[in-house]
């Protein structure tokens, strides 16, 4: 069933707005990818591993901020939290643009991630305020499709901006992006959480909400599986540029290939939106993970065989990774959020914080095993999706057992 409360904007505009708010994260990460070598030269004496911390600390800040923004939005309303997060994001971007040494830029990126958590978490809570069940999953799928279009263009946009202003200009682009998205929200969308539905910001209530979520077996499993999928994506983002440059000698054309893959993978989210109401969320996630188990295993074998045309096979596998995420993340969010409508903001925070922080902790060691081949990424992806597949089968058994009661 799909329910929608009164709203002065149509569904198409609503989806586009939510997609842009979600895309704050993707743009903040992917636009920086082509800048990492230049940042390494300017700030870390050419140390690429240190430069990659530009991504890691942003994710850490986002994960931490995600835990607080949901409860705050449950207590204060959705829009004030978005405004506060955007203000911190913009201020931090300005500091990152201005600073000349690496540590202050890292600190700015951490606080930028903290601010970016506001639009990301509150967008999910707003969707849950207005939709439920498979209808919510359909909306999430289309939003995720827009979300995946941003990585298609963000690296090329980052490279273009660098051509005129250097890597610092990318921080200016972050400011513009945030001003546009939050201004759109402020002008067009009313507050979706009425005062009578708000929950006081009390530690006991927050604790009770977390306990309630993790006691619910389906919610608990969906959060863990989402964490594994996000870890797969983080591992890909950390290793993809070195793999293109070192393994396949395609560093200069990286933004083009990355953008092409991200653009095509957006079709997966569209496909999910078209079939999720008929086939169901859990089934689609399970099928996607089972397929990726086979493909990741094949890629692992390929990295040992060194067949001709390996780059294009890797390109297809990278596409499959993004498609797996497109089918999985939106549906897993919907599965976890559906029983938690009464604490939507808190639920969005717990899901986002746990999946982001745990995924970053799991994925970070993967970069340490980089050996000049795509093998570490293939091993990590295979491990993550195999465990996720087993957990989805477990979720299916729980749902069937509950249906028989």
């Amino acid at each position: 069933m799909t329910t929608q409360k009164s709203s002065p904007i149509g569904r198409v505009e609503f989806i586009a707005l939510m997609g842009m708010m979600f895309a704050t994260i993707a743009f903040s990460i992917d636009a920086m990818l082509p800048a990492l070598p230049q940042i390494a030269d300017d700030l870390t004496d050419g140390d690429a591993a240190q430069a990659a911390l530009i991504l890691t600390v942003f994710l850490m800040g986002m994960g931490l901020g995600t835990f607080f923004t949901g409860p705050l939005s449950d207590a204060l309303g959705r829009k004030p939290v978005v405004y506060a997060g955007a203000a911190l994001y913009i201020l931090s971007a300005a500091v990152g643009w201005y600073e000349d040494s690496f540590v202050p830029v890292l600190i700015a990126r951490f606080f930028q991630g903290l601010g970016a958590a506001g639009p990301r978490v509150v967008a999910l809570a707003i969707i849950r305020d207005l939709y439920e069940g498979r209808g919510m999953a359909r909306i999430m799928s289309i939003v995720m499709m827009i979300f995946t279009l941003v990585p298609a263009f963000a690296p090329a946009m980052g490279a273009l901006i660098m051509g005129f202003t250097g890597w610092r200009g990318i921080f200016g682009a972050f400011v513009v992006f945030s001003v546009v998205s939050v201004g759109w929200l402020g002008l067009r969308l009313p507050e979706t959480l009425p005062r009578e539905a708000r929950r006081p910001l009390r530690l006991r209530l927050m604790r009770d909400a977390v306990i309630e979520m993790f006691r619910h077996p389906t919610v608990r499993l969906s959060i863990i599986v989402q964490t594994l999928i996000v870890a797969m994506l983080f591992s890909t983002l950390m290793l993809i540029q070195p793999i293109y440059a070192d393994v396949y000698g395609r560093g200069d054309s990286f933004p083009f290939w990355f953008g092409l893959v991200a653009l095509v993978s957006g079709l997966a989210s569209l496909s999910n939106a078209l079939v999720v109401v008929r086939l169901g969320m859990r089934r689609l996630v399970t099928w996607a993970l089972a397929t990726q188990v086979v493909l990741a295993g094949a890629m692992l074998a390929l990295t040992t065989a060194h067949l001709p045309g390996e780059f294009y096979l890797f390109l297809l596998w990278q596409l499959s990774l993004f498609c797996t995420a497109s089918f999985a993340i939106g549906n897993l969010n919907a599965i976890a959020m559906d029983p938690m409508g009464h604490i939507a903001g808190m639920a969005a925070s717990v899901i986002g914080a746990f999946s982001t922080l745990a995924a970053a902790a799991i994925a970070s060691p993967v970069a340490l095993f980089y050996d000049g081949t795509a093998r570490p990424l293939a091993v990590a992806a295979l491990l993550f999706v195999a465990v996720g597949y087993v957990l989805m089968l477990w979720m299916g058994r729980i749902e069937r057992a509950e249906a028989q009661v």
Side-chain angles (χ1 to χ4, degrees):
M1 180 180 69
T2 302
T3 59
Q4 185 176 12
K5 299 178 182 178
S6 59
S7 173
I9 65 175
R11 181 177 296 189
V12 172
E13 184 181 357
F14 175 76
I15 290 171
L17 175 57
M18 294 300 102
M20 190 168 186
M21 291 178 65
F22 262 78
T24 302
I25 302 298
F27 186 63
S28 301
I29 295 172
D30 296 324
M32 294 298 296
L33 293 177
L36 293 181
Q38 193 176 103
I39 292 174
D41 291 339
D42 290 351
L43 301 181
T44 67
D45 296 324
D47 190 333
Q50 283 194 54
L53 293 174
I54 290 286
L55 305 179
T56 304
V57 297
F58 178 87
L59 294 171
M60 292 173 61
M62 184 188 71
L64 181 62
T66 295
F67 189 77
F68 298 102
T69 49
L72 285 171
S73 75
D74 280 344
L76 305 175
R78 310 303 187 203
K79 294 175 75 171
V81 176
V82 173
Y83 297 152
L88 180 59
Y89 179 90
I90 291 169
L91 178 61
S92 301
V95 173
W97 173 83
Y98 177 77
E99 287 293 340
D100 291 323
S101 55
F102 187 58
V103 171
V105 172
L106 279 184
I107 295 173
R109 281 289 282 177
F110 175 84
F111 281 99
Q112 193 182 18
L114 203 66
R120 191 260 187 217
V121 172
V122 175
L124 181 57
I126 289 173
I127 293 172
R128 181 59 188 87
D129 288 340
L130 302 178
Y131 294 91
E132 63 183 21
R134 294 186 180 185
M136 180 176 62
R138 170 176 280 179
I139 296 294
M140 282 297 304
S141 295
I142 302 174
V143 168
M144 287 300 295
M145 181 183 68
I146 299 172
F147 173 80
T148 57
L149 291 177
V150 174
F153 301 103
M157 290 176 62
L160 180 64
I161 293 168
M162 285 173 56
F164 290 97
T165 65
W167 60 266
R168 296 182 186 279
I170 298 175
F171 282 100
F174 293 154
V175 173
V176 174
F177 188 94
S178 183
V179 168
V180 171
S181 62
V182 175
W184 185 4
L185 174 79
L187 292 173
R188 296 291 295 157
L189 188 71
E191 176 61 55
T192 61
L193 186 67
R195 291 186 179 276
E196 61 271 16
R198 297 177 187 177
R199 293 166 54 91
L201 187 63
R202 297 174 184 166
L203 291 179
R204 181 182 59 81
L205 294 177
M206 293 171 62
R207 181 203 62 195
D208 291 345
V210 173
I211 292 173
E212 179 184 353
M213 290 186 67
F214 279 93
R215 279 181 175 171
H216 194 294
T218 300
V219 175
R220 181 173 65 245
L221 287 173
S222 65
I223 293 174
I224 296 172
V225 176
Q226 184 174 169
T227 299
L228 294 169
I229 302 302
V230 175
M232 179 191 75
L233 282 180
F234 287 174
S235 300
T236 303
L237 289 173
M238 287 188 294
L239 294 179
I240 195 70
Q241 200 277 339
I243 288 174
Y244 270 75
D246 302 339
V247 181
Y248 301 114
R250 309 265 180 163
D252 292 339
S253 58
F254 165 70
F256 167 77
W257 292 113
F258 188 90
L260 179 63
V261 168
L263 185 63
V264 175
S265 68
L267 296 175
S269 293
L270 178 60
S271 300
N272 186 75
L274 294 175
V275 301
V276 66
V277 173
R278 180 164 55 91
L279 297 178
M281 298 167 282
R282 180 186 55 79
R283 183 181 298 176
L284 287 173
V285 175
T286 305
W287 288 353
L289 293 179
T291 302
Q292 188 54 236
V293 168
V294 175
L295 295 176
M299 188 64 208
L300 180 58
L302 179 64
T303 60
T304 304
H306 301 295
L307 298 177
E310 182 180 329
F311 170 71
Y312 296 101
L313 295 174
F314 175 81
L315 203 65
L316 290 174
W317 180 59
Q318 180 192 343
L319 173 62
S320 77
L321 290 175
F322 286 10
C323 288
T324 299
S326 295
F327 271 103
I329 293 178
N331 287 326
L332 289 167
N333 264 315
I335 292 171
M337 289 290 291
D338 195 38
M340 299 292 140
H342 57 295
I343 51 169
M346 184 66 203
S349 276
V350 172
I351 295 167
F354 186 90
S355 62
T356 301
L357 291 174
I362 294 170
S364 294
V366 175
L368 301 177
F369 291 96
Y370 178 63
D371 58 358
T373 73
R375 191 177 300 114
L377 180 58
V379 171
L382 178 59
L383 178 62
F384 295 150
V385 296
V387 175
Y389 174 66
V390 172
L391 294 178
M392 291 307 298
L393 293 178
W394 187 5
M395 185 188 297
R397 292 174 184 166
I398 292 173
E399 290 185 358
R400 287 190 292 272
E402 290 177 345
Q404 293 173 358
V405 175

